[in-house]
Amino acid sequence: MADIRTDRRAEAGRPTQLGATYDGEGTNFALFSAYAERVELCLFNADGVETERVTLPEYTDEIWHGYLPGVGPGQIYGYRVHGRYAPEEGHRFNPNKLLIDPYAKSLVGSIDWNDAHFGYDLLAEDKDLTFDERDSAPFMPKCEVIDPSFDWSGDVKPDVPWDRTVFYETHVRGFTKLHPGVPEELRGTFDGLSQDVVVDYIKALGVTSVELLPVHAFLDDQHLLDKGLRNYWGYNTIAFFAPMGRYMGKGRLASFKNMVRRFHDAGLEVILDVVYNHTAEGNELGPTLSFKGIDNLSYYRTMPDEHRYYINDTGTGNTVNTSHPRVLQMVTDSLRYWVEECHVDGFRFDLGTILGREPHGFDQRGGFFDAVGQDPVLRNVKLVGEPWDIGPGGYQVGGFPPGWAEWNDKYRDEVRDYWKSGAGHLGNFAARVTGSGDVYDFRGRRPWAGVNFITAHDGFTLNDLVSYNEKHNEANGEDNNDGHGDNRSYNYGVEGETDDPGIIAVRERQKRNLIATLLLSHGTPMILAGDEFGRTQGGNNNGYCQDNEISWVNWELDEKDEILLAFTKRLLQLRADNPILRRANWRDGMGVTWINPGGGEQTAEQWADEAADCIGLHLRTPEGAEAVLAFNAHDGPVPFVLPEREGGGAWRVVVDTGQPQDDAREVSGPEPIEVEGRSLLLLL
């Protein structure tokens, strides 16, 4: 403390704007803590050395606040919060631990794991009931005061209608790390993702909305670093307003904003995958980095009769307490910040069921859903929930309120089942292809409420889904015990890569079947980046810790990859051009008829036939548009009698997964059309 100045007195400032807010002459600092007894603002020089401590002088409505004239952008800071250290009562104040401001807009440096990060003595028998006096500041990332100004002139949000939306899930770092067209120094950053060669590729593919895996500042878990790995996916947030440091270029926050503007210039939306359900502080034995030391009892859900312990509905050690009004405010303030200041177009909420939890359980009229639903900013962006967590009643597919879309894992599982084995899956498959009305056609929700996907970041890629019977996660260092075991995958004769032309042929056809089903189904499709040309992770279905070639997109494409890419582009163009393939409203008068290979309407007996694996779908709009989809999961060809067009004339086969490079061909006359084994036809 000898070299740390402590005599400066802050002005009162104001409690109404949390975080560090620069006004052109100085900075206002405001921090919520209901149970703190004193809050010290710690200032650091450019080398990360603490130079000054200033006690925040005022406490208003549970907000500690003060104003420092002359302090502006670039100032590095953190907090020390004084109060009771009483873990059994839920309080874990320890002023020896430097704390990240929950509202920090920028972090500098990264964590250097040290025993000093823990509020207790790691070697003590009573563990977290003890008190540790070591200073954690030398090992902590620090907060930075920012200048929020940015020239957004000319930026126009694409505002893509829901029925036209196609999500493209990707990773800031992994998408460009191996891209030959991106300058090496920009790869893996927001600047790299902003390059014309990247944006033009995504635009030409035909998707509309780029969904980025978490970009909020997160931590690399110590146990991963000890194994030579690190957190790649980013589901370990520690600051909900700050972008991840290793993704930022020289422009820092401006790099993110420039990326958003570049995507908008191309008519592409930016969707953020966000993790408000838990933080990187873990359970009672986790480190004290921010929320735990600021106001543990308010920020986290603790066990009602044992506040020392945390409710763990997330499976990560803690659960953010959105039932508390100030914590709920933090989440909604964060969301508004990314929309208003950074111009993002929507969010996908990881373990979204958590956000709807109240003390009595999940409630679709809970505080979070109500707050977002009435918010004039947030109610107008795309909101997508991952509708499950591991807590009681955590599976809520179809249970989110109107206005929300949801990841539809029923679609993923049942479409995989159908193309893997066909027989016994027709009924469920049919429901998914036509928008999962059994799940979403309630309370005025639309077909777009179901986000359909075959693959996502978590699980097999499309290529690996048809190349492996089992997961191969040995590189993760957990003896292949991590990752999901129920993949509904099949290797068609050989585990992994093969030179066998017969196996390669059936795998390529199955890739086309799966991606064609996805893009021709009603609902909102989501494509995992790289699936359009068959990216592999070598059978690893849990690449969360693989920041390397296992997870990075490989841009070296062979002939079969190019064929799949062209096929995917053609499907996306067909979907965009034909509204009948992207139904917007359950009550649009569309005729939906499931037909059997004989050409008649599917009967109850045929639906109940466990051996049936071929079916057709006839769609008709009031405006006179028609389409037929024929699905054949059988090994061999099946003759299929086409229905007569209501307006007369011939059908055109525009998609044939058995012949992906064929031009459209006309089909007429009473003779049935042959649908090849394991293939799909689209006729318009």
Side-chain angles (χ1 to χ4, degrees):
M1 287 288 292
D3 298 324
I4 299 176
R5 179 183 172 187
T6 59
D7 60 342
R8 183 166 5 177
R9 296 291 177 264
E11 297 177 9
R14 59 191 183 281
T16 52
Q17 193 166 15
L18 290 159
T21 306
Y22 176 63
D23 64 5
E25 298 181 357
T27 300
N28 188 82
F29 295 89
L31 180 75
F32 158 71
S33 180
Y35 298 100
E37 296 170 0
R38 182 162 65 97
V39 173
E40 290 179 305
L41 171 68
C42 304
L43 304 181
F44 295 81
N45 63 22
D47 295 323
V49 176
E50 188 174 359
T51 59
E52 191 170 356
R53 290 186 190 177
V54 181
T55 296
L56 295 185
E58 295 291 337
Y59 185 51
T60 305
D61 297 332
E62 300 183 336
I63 305 294
W64 299 84
H65 55 99
Y67 180 84
L68 291 181
V71 170
Q75 176 63 59
I76 300 171
Y77 73 98
Y79 287 111
R80 299 181 188 273
V81 181
H82 298 254
R84 297 176 61 222
Y85 189 81
E88 291 171 310
E89 299 174 34
H91 301 303
R92 296 180 178 272
F93 296 104
N94 187 335
N96 300 293
K97 311 306 170 185
L98 186 74
L99 305 173
I100 294 170
D101 179 359
Y103 278 70
K105 305 300 192 303
S106 175
L107 298 186
V108 295
S110 57
I111 197 163
D112 180 11
W113 284 109
N114 188 279
D115 289 355
H117 286 116
F118 296 83
Y120 63 94
D121 182 351
L122 284 168
L123 301 179
E125 184 176 347
D126 290 331
K127 293 292 184 183
D128 64 304
L129 297 181
T130 62
F131 187 80
D132 184 84
E133 297 184 354
R134 285 170 291 188
D135 183 9
S136 67
F139 314 106
M140 281 289 292
K142 314 296 192 298
C143 311
E144 180 184 22
V145 178
I146 68 160
D147 180 352
S149 61
F150 184 81
D151 182 8
W152 284 107
S153 58
D155 182 62
V156 177
K157 291 193 174 189
D159 196 23
V160 179
W162 263 110
D163 67 297
R164 289 183 171 271
T165 299
V166 180
F167 291 121
Y168 188 66
E169 189 194 40
T170 193
H171 189 284
V172 171
R173 185 170 169 82
F175 197 69
T176 62
K177 194 64 179 158
L178 298 176
H179 200 299
V182 176
E184 193 166 351
E185 68 274 13
L186 301 181
R187 295 178 187 175
T189 68
F190 299 127
D191 290 332
L193 209 56
S194 304
Q195 296 298 295
D196 287 349
V197 68
V198 175
V199 178
D200 292 348
Y201 169 84
I202 297 173
K203 180 66 175 178
L205 181 60
V207 298
T208 68
S209 309
V210 179
E211 181 177 313
L212 300 176
L213 265 68
V215 302
H216 291 174
F218 59 87
L219 299 183
D220 290 314
D221 313 69
Q222 184 173 9
H223 75 275
L224 292 177
L225 295 175
D226 291 344
K227 293 189 289 187
L229 303 169
R230 67 177 179 180
N231 190 321
Y232 174 66
W233 287 349
Y235 294 93
N236 203 26
T237 306
I238 196 60
F240 296 112
F241 293 76
M244 183 61 186
R246 61 175 170 248
Y247 299 161
M248 292 196 288
K250 293 180 180 179
R252 302 290 293 167
L253 181 57
S255 297
F256 179 86
K257 295 179 177 179
N258 280 322
M259 177 197 71
V260 172
R261 183 165 58 184
R262 179 65 186 90
F263 277 117
H264 284 179
D265 288 345
L268 295 165
E269 294 181 319
V270 177
I271 309 295
L272 299 187
D273 192 338
V274 289
V275 190
Y276 295 106
N277 58 79
H278 74 282
T279 78
E281 291 187 300
N283 63 12
E284 71 277 2
L285 300 180
T288 297
L289 308 170
S290 180
F291 314 92
K292 186 178 287 186
I294 294 171
D295 188 346
N296 182 72
L297 194 58
S298 294
Y299 275 106
Y300 294 117
R301 295 191 189 275
T302 57
M303 298 298 290
D305 300 320
E306 294 183 287
H307 293 297
R308 175 185 178 185
Y309 302 106
Y310 297 85
I311 293 174
N312 185 22
D313 290 333
T314 64
T316 60
N318 65 55
T319 303
V320 172
N321 181 21
T322 49
S323 296
H324 191 288
R326 286 296 186 190
V327 180
L328 176 60
Q329 177 189 349
M330 177 192 70
V331 173
T332 53
D333 282 352
S334 169
L335 293 168
R336 278 189 297 272
Y337 171 76
W338 290 100
V339 174
E340 295 184 306
E341 298 294 327
C342 301
H343 286 211
V344 305
D345 304 285
F347 306 93
R348 178 266 186 187
F349 293 83
D350 178 65
L351 298 184
T353 296
I354 290 291
L355 300 172
R357 284 194 179 276
E358 298 295 348
H360 59 273
F362 178 82
D363 184 352
Q364 67 168 239
R365 288 272 64 96
F368 172 76
F369 288 133
D370 285 350
V372 170
Q374 60 77 45
D375 189 284
V377 173
L378 300 181
R379 70 188 182 201
N380 292 314
V381 301
K382 287 187 166 73
L383 302 170
V384 181
E386 183 183 38
W388 50 78
D389 62 28
I390 69 166
Y395 187 74
Q396 289 294 331
V397 173
F400 275 47
W404 281 74
E406 304 169 17
W407 271 27
N408 185 359
D409 66 328
K410 293 179 184 291
Y411 184 94
R412 175 198 64 199
D413 293 347
E414 289 162 9
V415 171
R416 287 186 182 191
D417 281 341
Y418 173 76
W419 284 113
K420 179 183 176 183
S421 56
H425 299 291
L426 284 187
N428 288 332
F429 177 72
R432 303 308 144 234
V433 167
T434 49
S436 298
D438 57 326
V439 179
Y440 299 111
D441 187 11
F442 303 98
R443 302 180 66 192
R445 300 183 78 183
R446 299 292 184 90
W448 54 257
V451 175
N452 299 331
F453 62 105
I454 304 293
T455 59
H457 67 276
D458 186 0
F460 278 145
T461 65
L462 181 66
N463 178 83
D464 293 356
L465 183 65
V466 299
S467 303
Y468 294 90
N469 287 347
E470 308 293 339
K471 58 187 172 71
H472 295 270
N473 299 350
E474 291 81 5
N476 295 355
E478 299 179 46
D479 296 323
N480 204 31
N481 291 317
D482 62 303
H484 209 294
D486 180 18
N487 296 289
R488 303 172 194 226
S489 62
Y490 191 50
N491 66 24
Y492 298 96
V494 174
E495 188 76 349
E497 293 186 15
T498 181
D499 295 326
D500 186 304
I503 294 175
I504 292 173
V506 73
R507 287 178 178 178
E508 293 304 308
R509 184 175 297 195
Q510 289 291 66
K511 291 181 201 176
R512 295 190 294 269
N513 287 332
L514 289 160
I515 207 160
T517 303
L518 174 66
L519 296 177
L520 298 176
S521 295
H522 293 156
T524 304
M526 183 185 78
I527 299 173
L528 174 64
D531 275 357
E532 69 270 23
F533 50 73
R535 181 178 73 90
T536 180
Q537 291 186 167
N540 191 318
N541 77 346
N542 190 31
Y544 78 102
C545 57
Q546 299 296 336
D547 189 4
N548 51 47
E549 287 83 355
I550 290 175
S551 296
W552 298 341
V553 175
N554 183 349
W555 294 95
E556 295 181 3
L557 309 187
D558 61 22
E559 182 181 4
K560 70 179 189 314
D561 300 334
E562 296 284 4
I563 291 172
L564 182 59
L565 176 58
F567 180 75
T568 305
K569 287 183 177 180
R570 185 154 58 90
L571 282 164
L572 284 161
Q573 189 63 55
L574 282 166
R575 182 182 178 91
D577 292 344
N578 294 277
I580 196 171
L581 303 176
R582 46 180 172 82
R583 191 176 192 183
N585 190 344
W586 301 112
R587 286 144 190 79
D588 57 6
M590 181 179 289
V592 178
T593 305
W594 286 98
I595 54 180
N596 57 56
E601 185 171 352
Q602 186 85 341
T603 66
E605 291 78 13
Q606 289 168 332
W607 282 119
D609 183 356
E610 291 291 317
D613 53 10
C614 183
I615 197 167
L617 173 62
H618 186 196
L619 301 171
R620 303 168 305 285
T621 70
E623 296 75 26
E626 289 188 75
V628 167
L629 283 158
F631 302 94
N632 179 18
H634 190 64
D635 288 341
V638 172
F640 203 103
V641 177
L642 297 175
E644 291 186 10
R645 295 187 69 104
E646 291 188 355
W651 291 100
R652 288 185 309 120
V653 177
V654 295
V655 173
D656 182 347
T657 59
Q659 307 293 331
Q661 295 174 290
D662 274 5
D663 294 329
R665 63 185 189 274
E666 284 196 358
V667 180
S668 60
E671 294 300 316
I673 185 173
E674 186 175 271
V675 182
E676 295 184 31
R678 289 199 180 105
S679 67
L680 174 159
L681 299 184
L682 169 65
L683 301 97
L684 294 175

